[in-house]
Amino acid sequence: LISRKPEYLYKAKAILLTLAEWPCHRKDVTSVYPQWSGDEVGMSIARCLHRVYDWLYDDLSVTERSIVSCACLARAAQIHQKLLESDYLTYPGNSHDGRLILYLAEMGMVLTGVTEETTVWLEYALKAMMTVYPHWGAADGGWAEGLWYAHDYIVFSLPILYALHNTCGLNLWQRSFYKNFPSFVFYCAALSGEIEPFGDGAEMQGYQSCGEHFAKLMTFLSHISEKKLIQWWSHQVEKKQSASWETDLIFEDMPDQYET
């Protein structure tokens, strides 16, 4: 999409159409229902398939659109069914189901007009996002599972939060949790810390400092936070190569102004 080079489009379409052919049967490894090997394969496809469908839509033929949209619809229906079975709105403690809420909202937006079910999916997801999500975080912006989970789940939420704000005018960044989350990182993630000091994954750091792990996220948040200290924090970390996100395309690398 950036270069408009046909060789990249050809490869992107080939990958997309291949993934669209993969099953999402309940007992398959590509399902969002956990198997003996976990559910990460299914979770990753649920995260990406509809996004690439949206990005490449204008370059897909009618037949290709039908193939991919059917795959997206099948995965959205499976996600909605899984959340209903676990009664997520009453028992929102399952971390991976928290990811699925975000993906279901995205799917509802991307697939609007393809089927009437998209309204049901979007309403369910937004009800969760406006009330019980995130289960592991509260008004103070903290995350009870520790910094590792906090980082990843905020990253998972960035696309749908930005899409809702940009498309529908719904600014969930005004919720107390999201407004205060940057302060949680500021006080708990040491710029040069060797590990993330508590929670799942704390002992596995090593390949980068705590500051480097959070650098790109804090850089993103510094654009939307009114707290100048968050902008200052993000300027202190030289290495910001911890991940490559879609949200890298939204802002320039750093805010123009900040106060020390």
Side-chain angles (χ1 to χ4, degrees), residues 165-223:
H165 188 199
N166 192 46
T167 305
C168 309
L170 179 59
N171 188 5
L172 293 182
W173 291 110
Q174 293 303 309
R175 292 191 65 197
S176 295
F177 167 77
Y178 289 108
K179 290 179 68 173
N180 291 322
F181 177 79
S183 296
F184 169 60
V185 179
F186 182 88
Y187 288 111
C188 296
L191 284 165
S192 58
E194 296 179 359
I195 63 170
E196 295 172 6
F198 69 96
D200 190 354
E203 77 288 354
M204 296 189 297
Q205 204 58 37
Y207 68 93
Q208 58 187 184
S209 71
C210 189
E212 290 171 25
H213 190 203
F214 274 90
K216 293 187 75 171
L217 176 57
M218 286 290 271
T219 298
F220 180 90
L221 295 175
S222 70
H223 288 275

Coordinates of all heavy atoms in Angstrom, one line a residue, residues 165-223:
H165 N -12.4 5.9 17.4 CA -12.3 7.4 17.6 C -12.3 8.1 16.2 O -13.0 9.1 16.0 CB -11.0 7.8 18.3 CG -10.9 9.2 18.7 ND1 -9.7 9.8 19.0 CD2 -11.8 10.2 18.7 CE1 -9.9 11.1 19.2 NE2 -11.2 11.3 19.1
N166 N -11.5 7.5 15.2 CA -11.4 8.2 13.9 C -12.6 8.0 13.1 O -13.0 8.9 12.3 CB -10.2 7.5 13.2 CG -9.8 8.3 12.0 OD1 -9.7 9.5 12.1 ND2 -9.5 7.6 10.9
T167 N -13.3 6.9 13.2 CA -14.5 6.6 12.3 C -15.8 7.0 13.0 O -16.7 7.5 12.3 CB -14.5 5.1 12.0 OG1 -13.2 4.7 11.5 CG2 -15.6 4.7 11.0
C168 N -15.9 6.7 14.3 CA -17.3 6.9 14.9 C -17.3 8.1 15.9 O -18.4 8.4 16.4 CB -17.7 5.6 15.6 SG -17.6 4.1 14.6
G169 N -16.1 8.6 16.2 CA -16.1 9.7 17.2 C -16.2 9.2 18.6 O -16.4 10.0 19.5
L170 N -16.0 7.9 18.8 CA -16.1 7.3 20.2 C -14.7 7.3 20.8 O -13.9 6.5 20.3 CB -16.7 5.9 20.1 CG -16.8 5.2 21.5 CD1 -17.7 5.9 22.4 CD2 -17.4 3.8 21.2
N171 N -14.5 8.1 21.7 CA -13.1 8.3 22.3 C -13.0 7.6 23.6 O -13.2 8.1 24.7 CB -12.8 9.8 22.5 CG -11.4 10.0 22.9 OD1 -10.6 9.1 22.9 ND2 -11.0 11.3 23.2
L172 N -12.6 6.3 23.5 CA -12.5 5.5 24.8 C -11.2 5.9 25.5 O -11.0 5.5 26.7 CB -12.4 4.0 24.4 CG -13.8 3.4 23.9 CD1 -13.6 1.9 23.7 CD2 -14.9 3.7 24.9
W173 N -10.3 6.7 24.9 CA -9.2 7.2 25.6 C -9.5 8.1 26.8 O -8.7 8.3 27.7 CB -8.2 8.0 24.7 CG -7.6 7.1 23.6 CD1 -7.8 7.1 22.3 CD2 -6.5 6.1 23.9 NE1 -7.0 6.2 21.7 CE2 -6.2 5.6 22.6 CE3 -5.9 5.7 25.0 CZ2 -5.3 4.6 22.4 CZ3 -4.9 4.7 24.8 CH2 -4.6 4.1 23.6
Q174 N -10.8 8.5 26.8 CA -11.2 9.4 27.9 C -11.6 8.5 29.1 O -11.9 9.1 30.2 CB -12.4 10.2 27.5 CG -12.0 11.3 26.4 CD -10.9 12.2 26.9 OE1 -11.0 12.8 28.0 NE2 -9.9 12.3 26.1
R175 N -11.7 7.2 29.0 CA -12.0 6.4 30.2 C -10.8 6.5 31.1 O -9.7 6.6 30.7 CB -12.2 4.9 29.8 CG -13.5 4.7 29.0 CD -13.8 3.2 28.9 NE -14.1 2.6 30.1 CZ -14.1 1.3 30.4 NH1 -13.8 0.5 29.4 NH2 -14.4 0.8 31.6
S176 N -11.1 6.4 32.4 CA -10.1 6.6 33.4 C -8.9 5.7 33.3 O -7.7 6.1 33.4 CB -10.7 6.5 34.8 OG -11.6 7.5 35.1
F177 N -9.2 4.4 33.0 CA -8.1 3.5 32.8 C -7.1 3.9 31.8 O -5.9 3.9 32.0 CB -8.6 2.1 32.5 CG -7.5 1.1 32.0 CD1 -6.7 0.6 33.0 CD2 -7.3 0.9 30.7 CE1 -5.6 -0.3 32.6 CE2 -6.3 0.0 30.3 CZ -5.4 -0.5 31.2
Y178 N -7.6 4.2 30.6 CA -6.7 4.6 29.5 C -6.0 5.9 29.7 O -4.8 6.1 29.4 CB -7.5 4.6 28.2 CG -7.9 3.3 27.7 CD1 -9.2 2.9 27.7 CD2 -6.9 2.4 27.2 CE1 -9.6 1.6 27.3 CE2 -7.3 1.1 26.8 CZ -8.7 0.7 26.8 OH -9.0 -0.5 26.4
K179 N -6.7 6.9 30.4 CA -6.0 8.1 30.7 C -4.9 8.0 31.7 O -3.9 8.7 31.6 CB -7.1 9.1 31.2 CG -8.1 9.6 30.2 CD -9.1 10.6 30.8 CE -8.4 11.9 31.3 NZ -9.5 12.8 31.7
N180 N -5.0 7.0 32.6 CA -4.0 6.8 33.6 C -3.0 5.7 33.3 O -2.0 5.6 34.0 CB -4.7 6.5 35.0 CG -5.5 7.7 35.5 OD1 -5.1 8.8 35.4 ND2 -6.6 7.4 36.1
F181 N -3.2 5.0 32.3 CA -2.3 3.9 32.0 C -0.8 4.4 31.8 O 0.1 3.8 32.3 CB -2.7 3.1 30.8 CG -1.7 2.0 30.4 CD1 -1.7 0.8 31.1 CD2 -0.9 2.2 29.3 CE1 -0.8 -0.2 30.8 CE2 0.1 1.2 29.0 CZ 0.1 0.0 29.7
P182 N -0.6 5.5 31.0 CA 0.8 5.9 30.9 C 1.5 6.2 32.2 O 2.7 6.0 32.3 CB 0.6 7.2 30.0 CG -0.7 7.0 29.3 CD -1.5 6.3 30.2
S183 N 0.8 6.7 33.2 CA 1.4 6.9 34.5 C 1.8 5.6 35.1 O 2.8 5.5 35.8 CB 0.4 7.6 35.4 OG 0.1 8.9 34.9
F184 N 1.1 4.5 34.9 CA 1.4 3.2 35.5 C 2.8 2.8 34.9 O 3.7 2.3 35.6 CB 0.4 2.2 35.1 CG 0.7 0.8 35.3 CD1 1.0 0.3 36.6 CD2 0.7 -0.2 34.3 CE1 1.4 -1.0 36.8 CE2 1.1 -1.5 34.5 CZ 1.4 -1.9 35.8
V185 N 3.0 3.0 33.6 CA 4.2 2.6 33.0 C 5.3 3.6 33.5 O 6.4 3.1 33.8 CB 4.2 2.7 31.5 CG1 5.5 2.4 30.8 CG2 3.1 1.8 30.9
F186 N 5.0 4.8 33.6 CA 6.0 5.8 34.1 C 6.6 5.4 35.4 O 7.8 5.5 35.7 CB 5.4 7.2 34.1 CG 6.3 8.3 34.5 CD1 7.1 9.0 33.6 CD2 6.5 8.7 35.9 CE1 8.0 10.0 34.0 CE2 7.3 9.7 36.3 CZ 8.1 10.3 35.3
Y187 N 5.7 5.0 36.3 CA 6.2 4.7 37.7 C 6.7 3.3 37.9 O 7.4 3.0 38.8 CB 5.0 5.0 38.7 CG 4.7 6.5 38.9 CD1 3.6 7.0 38.4 CD2 5.7 7.3 39.5 CE1 3.3 8.4 38.6 CE2 5.4 8.7 39.7 CZ 4.2 9.2 39.2 OH 4.0 10.5 39.4
C188 N 6.3 2.4 37.0 CA 6.7 1.0 37.3 C 7.7 0.4 36.3 O 8.3 -0.6 36.5 CB 5.4 0.1 37.2 SG 4.2 0.5 38.5
A189 N 7.9 1.0 35.1 CA 8.8 0.5 34.1 C 10.1 1.4 34.1 O 10.1 2.5 33.6 CB 8.2 0.5 32.7
A190 N 11.1 0.9 34.8 CA 12.3 1.7 34.8 C 13.0 1.8 33.5 O 13.1 0.9 32.7 CB 13.3 1.0 35.8
L191 N 13.5 3.0 33.1 CA 14.0 3.3 31.8 C 15.2 2.3 31.5 O 15.3 1.8 30.4 CB 14.5 4.7 31.7 CG 13.4 5.8 31.6 CD1 14.0 7.2 31.9 CD2 12.8 5.7 30.2
S192 N 16.0 2.0 32.5 CA 17.2 1.2 32.2 C 17.1 -0.1 33.0 O 18.1 -0.8 33.2 CB 18.5 1.9 32.6 OG 18.4 2.3 34.0
G193 N 15.9 -0.4 33.5 CA 15.7 -1.7 34.3 C 16.0 -2.9 33.4 O 15.7 -3.0 32.3
E194 N 16.6 -3.9 34.1 CA 17.0 -5.1 33.4 C 15.8 -6.1 33.2 O 15.8 -6.9 32.3 CB 18.1 -5.8 34.1 CG 19.4 -5.0 34.2 CD 20.5 -5.7 35.0 OE1 20.2 -6.8 35.5 OE2 21.6 -5.2 35.1
I195 N 14.8 -6.0 34.1 CA 13.6 -6.8 34.0 C 12.4 -6.0 34.2 O 12.4 -4.8 34.7 CB 13.6 -8.0 35.0 CG1 13.6 -7.4 36.4 CG2 14.8 -8.9 34.8 CD1 13.4 -8.4 37.5
E196 N 11.2 -6.6 33.9 CA 9.9 -5.9 34.3 C 9.6 -6.5 35.6 O 9.4 -7.7 35.7 CB 8.9 -6.2 33.2 CG 9.3 -5.6 31.9 CD 8.4 -5.9 30.7 OE1 7.4 -6.6 30.9 OE2 8.7 -5.5 29.6
P197 N 9.4 -5.7 36.6 CA 9.6 -6.2 38.0 C 8.6 -7.1 38.6 O 8.8 -7.6 39.7 CB 9.7 -4.8 38.8 CG 8.9 -3.9 37.9 CD 9.2 -4.3 36.5
F198 N 7.5 -7.3 38.0 CA 6.5 -8.2 38.6 C 5.6 -8.7 37.5 O 5.4 -8.1 36.5 CB 5.7 -7.6 39.7 CG 4.8 -6.5 39.3 CD1 3.4 -6.9 39.0 CD2 5.2 -5.2 39.1 CE1 2.5 -5.9 38.6 CE2 4.3 -4.2 38.7 CZ 2.9 -4.6 38.5
G199 N 5.0 -9.9 37.7 CA 4.0 -10.4 36.8 C 4.6 -11.4 35.8 O 5.8 -11.7 35.7
D200 N 3.7 -12.0 35.1 CA 4.0 -13.0 34.0 C 5.0 -12.5 33.1 O 4.8 -11.4 32.5 CB 2.7 -13.4 33.3 CG 2.9 -14.6 32.4 OD1 4.0 -15.1 32.3 OD2 1.9 -15.1 31.9
G201 N 6.1 -13.2 32.9 CA 7.1 -12.8 31.9 C 8.3 -12.0 32.5 O 9.2 -11.7 31.8
A202 N 8.2 -11.6 33.7 CA 9.2 -10.7 34.3 C 10.6 -11.3 34.3 O 11.6 -10.6 34.1 CB 8.8 -10.4 35.8
E203 N 10.7 -12.7 34.4 CA 12.0 -13.3 34.4 C 12.5 -13.6 33.0 O 13.7 -14.1 32.9 CB 11.8 -14.7 35.2 CG 11.2 -15.8 34.4 CD 9.7 -15.7 34.1 OE1 9.1 -14.7 34.7 OE2 9.2 -16.5 33.4
M204 N 11.8 -13.3 32.0 CA 12.2 -13.6 30.6 C 12.7 -12.4 29.9 O 13.0 -12.6 28.7 CB 11.0 -14.2 29.9 CG 10.5 -15.5 30.5 SD 9.3 -16.3 29.4 CE 8.0 -15.1 29.4
Q205 N 12.9 -11.3 30.5 CA 13.4 -10.1 29.7 C 14.7 -10.4 29.1 O 14.9 -11.2 28.2 CB 13.3 -8.9 30.6 CG 13.2 -7.6 29.9 CD 12.0 -7.5 29.0 OE1 10.9 -8.0 29.4 NE2 12.1 -6.9 27.8
G206 N 15.8 -9.7 29.5 CA 17.1 -10.0 29.1 C 17.5 -9.5 27.7 O 18.5 -8.8 27.6
Y207 N 16.7 -9.7 26.7 CA 17.1 -9.3 25.3 C 17.0 -7.8 25.1 O 17.5 -7.2 24.2 CB 16.3 -10.0 24.2 CG 14.9 -9.7 24.2 CD1 14.4 -8.7 23.3 CD2 13.9 -10.4 24.9 CE1 13.1 -8.4 23.2 CE2 12.6 -10.0 24.9 CZ 12.2 -9.0 24.0 OH 10.8 -8.7 24.0
Q208 N 16.3 -7.1 26.0 CA 16.2 -5.7 25.9 C 15.8 -5.1 27.3 O 15.2 -5.9 28.1 CB 15.1 -5.2 24.9 CG 13.8 -5.8 25.2 CD 12.7 -5.5 24.1 OE1 11.6 -5.8 24.3 NE2 13.1 -4.9 23.0
S209 N 16.1 -3.9 27.6 CA 15.8 -3.3 28.9 C 14.3 -3.1 28.9 O 13.6 -3.1 27.9 CB 16.5 -2.0 29.1 OG 16.0 -1.0 28.2
C210 N 13.8 -2.9 30.2 CA 12.4 -2.6 30.4 C 12.0 -1.3 29.6 O 10.9 -1.3 29.0 CB 12.1 -2.4 31.8 SG 10.4 -2.3 32.3
G211 N 12.9 -0.3 29.6 CA 12.6 0.9 28.9 C 12.4 0.7 27.4 O 11.6 1.2 26.7
E212 N 13.3 -0.2 26.8 CA 13.3 -0.4 25.4 C 12.0 -1.2 25.0 O 11.4 -0.9 24.0 CB 14.5 -1.3 24.9 CG 15.8 -0.5 24.9 CD 17.0 -1.5 24.7 OE1 16.8 -2.5 24.2 OE2 18.0 -1.1 25.2
H213 N 11.5 -2.1 25.9 CA 10.3 -2.8 25.7 C 9.1 -1.9 25.6 O 8.2 -2.1 24.7 CB 10.1 -3.9 26.8 CG 9.0 -4.8 26.5 ND1 8.4 -5.5 27.5 CD2 8.4 -5.2 25.3 CE1 7.4 -6.3 26.9 NE2 7.5 -6.1 25.6
F214 N 9.1 -0.9 26.4 CA 7.9 0.0 26.4 C 8.1 1.3 25.6 O 7.2 2.1 25.4 CB 7.7 0.5 27.9 CG 6.8 -0.5 28.6 CD1 7.3 -1.5 29.3 CD2 5.4 -0.3 28.6 CE1 6.5 -2.4 30.0 CE2 4.6 -1.2 29.3 CZ 5.2 -2.2 30.0
A215 N 9.3 1.5 24.9 CA 9.6 2.7 24.3 C 8.6 3.1 23.2 O 8.1 4.2 23.1 CB 11.0 2.7 23.7
K216 N 8.3 2.1 22.3 CA 7.4 2.5 21.2 C 6.0 2.7 21.7 O 5.3 3.6 21.2 CB 7.4 1.3 20.1 CG 8.7 1.2 19.4 CD 8.7 0.2 18.3 CE 8.0 0.8 17.1 NZ 8.1 -0.1 15.9
L217 N 5.5 1.9 22.7 CA 4.2 2.2 23.2 C 4.1 3.5 23.9 O 3.1 4.3 23.7 CB 3.8 1.1 24.2 CG 2.5 1.2 24.9 CD1 1.4 1.3 23.9 CD2 2.3 0.1 25.9
M218 N 5.1 3.9 24.7 CA 5.1 5.2 25.3 C 5.2 6.3 24.3 O 4.6 7.4 24.5 CB 6.2 5.2 26.4 CG 5.9 4.4 27.6 SD 4.5 5.1 28.6 CE 5.5 6.2 29.7
T219 N 5.9 6.1 23.2 CA 6.0 7.1 22.2 C 4.6 7.4 21.6 O 4.2 8.5 21.4 CB 7.0 6.7 21.1 OG1 8.3 6.6 21.7 CG2 7.1 7.7 20.0
F220 N 3.9 6.3 21.3 CA 2.6 6.4 20.8 C 1.7 7.1 21.8 O 1.0 8.1 21.5 CB 2.0 5.0 20.5 CG 0.6 5.1 20.0 CD1 0.3 5.2 18.6 CD2 -0.5 5.1 20.9 CE1 -1.0 5.2 18.1 CE2 -1.8 5.1 20.4 CZ -2.0 5.2 19.0
L221 N 1.7 6.7 23.1 CA 0.9 7.3 24.1 C 1.2 8.8 24.4 O 0.4 9.6 24.8 CB 1.0 6.5 25.4 CG 0.4 5.1 25.3 CD1 0.7 4.3 26.6 CD2 -1.0 5.0 25.0
S222 N 2.5 9.1 24.1 CA 2.9 10.5 24.4 C 2.2 11.5 23.4 O 2.1 12.7 23.7 CB 4.4 10.7 24.2 OG 4.8 10.5 22.9
H223 N 1.7 11.0 22.3 CA 1.0 11.9 21.4 C -0.4 12.2 21.8 O -1.0 13.2 21.4 CB 0.9 11.2 20.0 CG 2.2 11.2 19.2 ND1 2.7 12.2 18.5 CD2 3.2 10.2 19.2 CE1 3.8 11.9 17.9 NE2 4.2 10.7 18.4

